[in-house]
Amino acid sequence: MFGIPGKQAVSMTPTAATQIAKLMGRDGHQGLRIGVKKGGCAGMEYTMEYVTEVDPHDEVVEQDGARVMIAPMAQMFLFGTEIDYQTSLLESGFVFNNPNVTEACGCGESIKFANM
């Protein structure tokens, strides 16, 4: 929808692709759908959910056996984002390196985009 020919909407680090592929192997999931919704102290927050059926309106990104679907309303907010998966002593999870974010709250869960 908001793509540039020859360029994927989002990219995944090898660590993120491995983790997503592992999650896809559970219960026959087709991938993970990522999106954004209103909420959090900065105004918006990321969403992730398992997908059992691909929506024809989703942007589909496949890399190294991993599949991510981008919800139509989130495509303009996520274009150019790199998805990473990080592990530390206390926590592990997906991290979105999004060039479209202008502000984030201290915990990193809530984000703000320009003109929102």
Side-chain angles (χ1 to χ4, degrees), residues 16-98:
T18 299
Q19 184 65 23
I20 291 169
K22 189 185 307 181
L23 292 171
M24 286 173 57
R26 297 183 186 169
D27 302 323
H29 298 299
Q30 296 295 309
L32 292 176
R33 179 175 293 115
I34 59 173
V36 293
K37 68 177 184 176
K38 290 185 179 185
C41 53
M44 302 283 280
E45 55 191 9
Y46 294 110
T47 62
M48 292 186 87
E49 63 183 347
Y50 290 112
V51 174
T52 55
E53 202 171 299
V54 178
D55 184 314
H57 299 292
D58 286 347
E59 177 78 22
V60 178
V61 176
E62 295 181 285
Q63 180 181 319
D64 301 325
R67 184 179 302 120
V68 170
M69 281 67 92
I70 305 170
M73 296 303 291
Q75 291 175 15
M76 67 181 183
F77 297 110
L78 297 175
F79 191 78
T81 298
E82 177 192 64
I83 303 168
D84 192 12
Y85 187 82
Q86 297 178 356
T87 303
S88 70
L89 277 172
L90 298 175
E91 63 185 2
S92 61
F94 290 100
V95 175
F96 295 86
N97 299 311
N98 187 337

